[in-house]
């Protein structure tokens, strides 16, 4: 006989740390891409022509295109993740209704794997399942908080703003600095800005700060060299 399960209504609450981190992650990645794509176009064009207006329009056009491209990419990616999470939750809802004991055992095994005795694990699982069966199962199986999904609009907006902001640094340096300072000023602006995004990405991902900064700076320098070389061939 199947066990009747009452699923509690999902209550709206503050965003979880994972949701906030996802929005910040989208912003950091967007900023980094904005910096590198804009400086790439600027270097290619600035080597081929000295016309400041042409350089500015090329950089601005790329900045706008990059920002919207990053935003649409984040929206599609996070929407897909959200759909996957919802599908997994609906699957667990059905399993709880049709095979409650198996789901209970999964929760109990979760605590056994963490050093709790089998008897105590079963007691914990029964108590948790009694209070919120679905929320308990999705947390144990997928590390998801019921009712909290990644927001694709937040990620898209964060990426849009960050990519636009990041691209402004090389654009301003290359088009508004005196001609004598254009190249060194732009190189410095790019190096400092990608170092900052490397620092932020490491902090958000609990990674090695020094490694992330060095990696970003190297990528930035390589990007500038490649596009400078492309400009020479134009």
């Amino acid at each position: 006989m199947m066990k009747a399960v009452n699923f509690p209504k999902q209550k709206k609450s503050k965003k979880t740390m994972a949701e906030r981190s996802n929005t910040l992650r989208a912003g950091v990645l967007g900023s980094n891409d904005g910096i590198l794509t804009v400086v790439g176009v600027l270097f290619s064009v600035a080597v081929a022509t000295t016309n400041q207006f042409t350089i500015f329009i090329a950089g601005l056009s790329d900045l706008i295109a990059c920002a919207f491209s990053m935003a649409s990419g984040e929206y599609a990616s996070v929407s897909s993740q959200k759909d996957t999470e919802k599908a997994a939750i609906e699957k667990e809802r059905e399993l709880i209704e049709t095979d409650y004991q198996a789901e209970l055992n999964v929760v109990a095994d979760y605590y056994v794997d963490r050093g709790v005795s089998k008897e105590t694990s079963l007691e914990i699982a029964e108590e948790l399942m009694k209070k919120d069966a679905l929320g308990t199962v999705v947390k144990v199986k997928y590390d998801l908080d019921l009712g909290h999904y990644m927001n694709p609009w937040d990620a898209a907006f964060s990426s849009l703003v960050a990519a636009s902001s990041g691209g402004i640094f090389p654009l301003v340096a290359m088009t508004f600095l005196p001609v004598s300072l254009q190249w060194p000023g732009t190189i410095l602006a790019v190096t400092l800005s990608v170092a900052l995004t490397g620092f932020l990405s490491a902090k958000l991902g609990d990674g090695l700060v020094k490694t992330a900064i060095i990696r970003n700076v190297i990528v930035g320098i390589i990007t500038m060299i490649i596009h400078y070389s492309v400009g020479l061939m134009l």
Side-chain angles (χ1 to χ4, degrees):
M1 185 175 179
M2 291 188 298
K3 183 180 179 67
V5 181
N6 292 320
F7 296 104
K9 291 182 179 180
Q10 296 178 15
K11 295 180 179 179
K12 290 184 178 179
S13 56
K14 293 181 179 179
K15 289 183 179 181
T16 63
M17 181 62 73
E19 289 174 296
R20 290 194 293 269
S21 295
N22 183 68
T23 301
L24 290 172
R25 175 200 59 79
V28 170
L29 292 177
S31 179
N32 202 59
D33 276 12
I35 295 164
L36 296 180
T37 56
V38 171
V39 76
V41 169
L42 288 171
F43 268 43
S44 297
V45 176
V47 173
T49 179
T50 56
N51 187 300
Q52 288 296 98
F53 183 72
T54 300
I55 296 170
F56 175 75
I57 292 300
L60 181 63
S61 298
D62 185 70
L63 184 152
I64 295 171
C66 173
F68 280 96
S69 175
M70 286 296 298
S72 61
E74 280 293 334
Y75 180 83
S77 175
V78 176
S79 292
S80 178
Q81 179 183 347
K82 183 178 179 180
D83 292 341
T84 301
E85 291 174 356
K86 284 187 172 183
I89 289 173
E90 289 308 311
K91 177 184 175 182
E92 294 307 321
R93 190 191 302 273
E94 183 179 340
L95 287 173
I96 289 170
E97 292 177 338
T98 58
D99 197 356
Y100 183 86
Q101 188 59 46
E103 295 292 86
L104 179 66
N105 291 339
V106 169
V107 177
D109 289 343
Y110 173 85
Y111 289 99
V112 169
D113 292 342
R114 280 152 183 76
V116 182
S117 68
K118 195 168 184 179
E119 294 77 12
T120 304
S121 294
L122 187 57
E123 290 177 6
I124 294 172
E126 288 175 341
E127 185 64 26
L128 290 173
M129 293 286 282
K130 189 184 298 182
K131 290 181 179 178
D132 183 3
L134 185 59
T136 299
V137 171
V138 297
K139 183 66 177 177
V140 166
K141 282 190 173 183
Y142 308 103
D143 195 26
L144 293 174
D145 293 307
L146 194 60
H148 290 276
Y149 304 104
M150 299 304 175
N151 191 319
W153 287 109
D154 284 351
F157 183 73
S158 175
S159 187
L160 176 70
V161 173
S164 302
S165 302
I168 284 175
F169 290 104
L171 181 62
V172 169
M174 180 60 78
T175 56
F176 288 99
L177 285 176
V179 175
S180 60
L181 297 176
Q182 265 185 353
W183 290 97
T186 303
I187 292 170
L188 179 62
V190 170
T191 302
L192 291 177
S193 53
V194 294
L196 177 60
T197 58
F199 172 81
L200 293 175
S201 64
K203 285 295 184 180
L204 289 174
D206 294 323
L208 298 174
V209 172
K210 185 177 180 181
T211 301
I213 291 174
I214 292 174
R215 180 174 58 238
N216 262 26
V217 170
I218 290 174
V219 170
I221 291 172
I222 292 173
T223 299
M224 289 185 281
I225 291 173
I226 290 173
H227 286 277
Y228 182 85
S229 301
V230 170
L232 290 175
M233 292 185 291
L234 293 177

